[in-house]
Amino acid sequence: MPTALITGVAGQDGAYLSTQLRERGYRVVGMVQPGSTIRPELAAYLDGVEIVTGTMRDTGALRAVIEGSDPDEVYNLAGVSSVARSWHEPELTADVNGTGLVRLVQALVEHRERTGREPRLLQASSSEMFGLPTAPMQDERTPLRPRSPYALAKAFAHEAAVMFRESHGLHVSCVVLFNHESPLRPPTFVTRKISSTVAAIGQGRADRLVLGDLETRRDWGSARDYVTAMWLALQADVPGDFVVATGVTHSIREWVAAAFAVAGVSDWEGLVGTDPALVRPLEPGPLVGDASRARDLLGWSPTTSFEDLVAQMVEADLARGAGA
């Protein structure tokens, strides 16, 4: 039975990845922050996962987690996940999302020196690193031009992962994840804010949805699909970098329209307002990914359409509201 260690297991990606790995016969160890609580909706997905505490800000803590779990594969999903939060806490974001990867690699190198065992490492990188892209579609060769503290920290970790792969001979792969969503997203993310508020409006529990720029476009996919790409990347004989995306963009306005359609609300325009305070200080350019390399080398492709993703999220929030 192979063992997988997932840092940041208590998020949507960690929950879905844990489930998939256990279905494949893995022993799964999940790291969470000391004193943190697991959201109730994640509990079923983490059933059977061995939960340990640790932090990306402490090399000693990471060393102890690795020694205690002795993993075959390590999936680094830990970090400040909100771009908005990163503007308020840039130092924390840099330390956890950026320098945290260096600490993790250091602990893995020390583990190799002590035991001779070398776990494979997956770094969850982000399309936000591309910032203002120089090409209409972004792939593994697109230059990084980060436009937020979150993106800057992710870019540092990504480049560090590549450097350590080349300098230390580690089996380190990076998946550059474009926006990916699910019913397990916290309500602080715009897509879940839309799905939960639209569901509440459809059920008469709310009367207005307030957002930032409705014309912002992103390449949105399903978190369930994207964690499969993470696993496939670590099964490859040769490590590398892989863009994970759908190759299609949609606007926030399209998200809203699709969500209201699922909730059965046709005349929605008057129910939606905008607030300039919700617009980012620096908005990235159009981000749309070219996942050809993941398709050709890993055999990965997305299976969930934009319409199905929106429907899954709204229907889950409608069910939550009905049970309230």
Side-chain angles (χ1 to χ4, degrees), residues 160-198:
V162 173
M163 182 191 72
F164 285 124
R165 178 173 69 215
E166 296 174 351
S167 63
H168 287 62
L170 297 173
H171 195 294
V172 181
S173 288
C174 300
V175 287
V176 184
L177 303 167
F178 279 64
N179 290 64
H180 50 291
E181 314 297 330
S182 77
L184 298 183
R185 265 295 198 201
T188 51
F189 286 80
V190 66
T191 50
R192 180 70 194 289
K193 179 180 179 180
I194 293 170
S195 67
S196 61
T197 306
V198 166

Side-chain angles (χ1 to χ4, degrees), residues 46 62 87 103 132 148-149 152 157 198-199 205 221 244 254 256 284 286 291:
L46 299 180
L62 292 172
W87 283 106
R103 297 187 185 101
L132 292 177
S148 69
L152 186 63
V198 166
R205 296 181 287 109
V244 178
E254 291 175 85
V256 172

Side-chain angles (χ1 to χ4, degrees), residues 250-269:
H250 295 274
S251 67
I252 294 289
R253 186 181 299 278
E254 291 175 85
W255 248 101
V256 172
F260 273 114
V262 174
V265 179
S266 56
D267 187 15
W268 57 266
E269 285 85 354

Side-chain angles (χ1 to χ4, degrees), residues 8-16 32 36-46 81 182-189 192 317 320:
V9 74
Q12 68 163 7
D13 291 1
Y16 289 124
V32 299
S36 63
T37 58
I38 295 174
R39 289 184 286 132
E41 60 265 37
L42 299 181
Y45 295 89
L46 299 180
S81 58
S182 77
L184 298 183
R185 265 295 198 201
T188 51
F189 286 80
R192 180 70 194 289
D317 280 316
R320 291 183 181 111

Side-chain angles (χ1 to χ4, degrees), residues 99-244:
T99 312
L101 183 278
V102 176
R103 297 187 185 101
L104 180 59
V105 170
Q106 180 179 339
L108 289 173
V109 170
E110 292 173 0
H111 181 72
R112 181 176 66 177
E113 292 172 351
R114 284 192 299 271
T115 67
R117 284 176 46 76
E118 184 179 319
R120 296 183 174 190
L121 173 62
L122 189 287
Q123 168 63 14
S125 296
S126 169
S127 63
E128 292 280 335
M129 301 184 306
F130 295 127
L132 292 177
T134 56
M137 296 187 73
Q138 296 83 59
D139 62 17
E140 295 79 10
R141 298 164 296 181
T142 302
L144 308 184
R145 301 178 66 187
R147 299 276 286 175
S148 69
Y150 170 87
L152 186 63
K154 280 290 191 178
F156 173 84
H158 179 85
E159 295 286 15
V162 173
M163 182 191 72
F164 285 124
R165 178 173 69 215
E166 296 174 351
S167 63
H168 287 62
L170 297 173
H171 195 294
V172 181
S173 288
C174 300
V175 287
V176 184
L177 303 167
F178 279 64
N179 290 64
H180 50 291
E181 314 297 330
S182 77
L184 298 183
R185 265 295 198 201
T188 51
F189 286 80
V190 66
T191 50
R192 180 70 194 289
K193 179 180 179 180
I194 293 170
S195 67
S196 61
T197 306
V198 166
I201 291 173
Q203 294 175 330
R205 296 181 287 109
D207 56 14
R208 192 162 181 79
L209 170 63
V210 180
L211 300 168
D213 184 0
L214 297 181
E215 306 312 320
T216 296
R217 301 186 70 86
R218 290 289 185 273
D219 181 338
W220 275 295
S222 166
R224 289 186 179 93
D225 288 344
Y226 286 24
V227 299
T228 300
M230 297 180 189
W231 178 77
L232 288 170
L234 285 198
Q235 309 319 301
D237 292 334
V238 179
D241 305 325
F242 304 94
V243 163
V244 178

